[in-house]
Amino acid sequence: MIARLTDAERDAALAELPQWQTVDGKDAIRRAFRFKDFVEAWGFMARVALLAESQDHHPEWSNVYNRVEITLTTHDCKGLSARDVKLAKAIDQL
Ligand code: H2B
C-alpha cells in the first residue's frame, strides 16, 4: 500500500512543483494548461495518458476546448503520494 506524504514531504514536493497548486478540501495538486486549440490540447492529453498508463497512475482531469485541468491524488491512500509527485514532474517535462 502506498503511503500519503507526510507534511514535511508534502512541503518539499510542492517546492519542486511551483506550477501546481493545492486543492481546497482535497489532498491533491492541480495544474491548469492552456493550448492554442483543441488539437494541441488533445495531443497533450494523449501524451499524458501514455505517461499515466506507463506509471499505472492516472489523473483526474477535464478538457474544455483548448484548456486542460489536471488533478493528481492517489486513490489507494486517499491523498497525495510520491506517485503524484512523480507523475506531476513527468507532465512538467512534456
Ligand atoms: N491512479 C491514481 N490516481 N490513484 C490510484 O490509487 C491508482 C491509480 N491506482 N491508477 C492504480 C491505478 C490501481 O488502481 C491499479 C490497480 O494499479
Side-chain angles (χ1 to χ4, degrees):
M1 176 60 130
I2 184 87
R4 283 172 77 152
L5 296 183
T6 64
D7 287 348
E9 287 168 341
R10 202 170 189 283
D11 290 347
L14 286 169
E16 292 180 3
L17 295 168
Q19 290 162 300
W20 294 78
Q21 279 92 48
T22 55
V23 179
D24 281 350
K26 187 175 173 123
D27 190 19
I29 52 175
R30 177 177 295 162
R31 183 174 168 191
F33 300 83
R34 187 180 287 265
F35 299 91
K36 180 170 70 82
D37 56 22
F38 177 72
V39 171
E40 297 279 327
W42 187 255
F44 168 75
M45 292 177 79
R47 294 201 288 158
V48 172
L50 294 176
L51 262 182
E53 195 56 19
S54 73
Q55 295 186 8
D56 191 30
H57 195 64
H58 301 85
E60 298 175 8
W61 56 2
S62 66
N63 159 240
V64 179
Y65 184 55
N66 66 336
R67 289 182 284 124
V68 177
E69 203 169 278
I70 297 182
T71 298
L72 298 179
T73 189
T74 301
H75 306 131
D76 291 347
C77 67
K78 298 185 173 62
L80 204 61
S81 77
R83 289 187 197 160
D84 301 301
V85 177
K86 181 180 173 195
L87 183 56
K89 286 181 178 170
I91 291 171
D92 281 348
Q93 282 172 15
L94 285 179

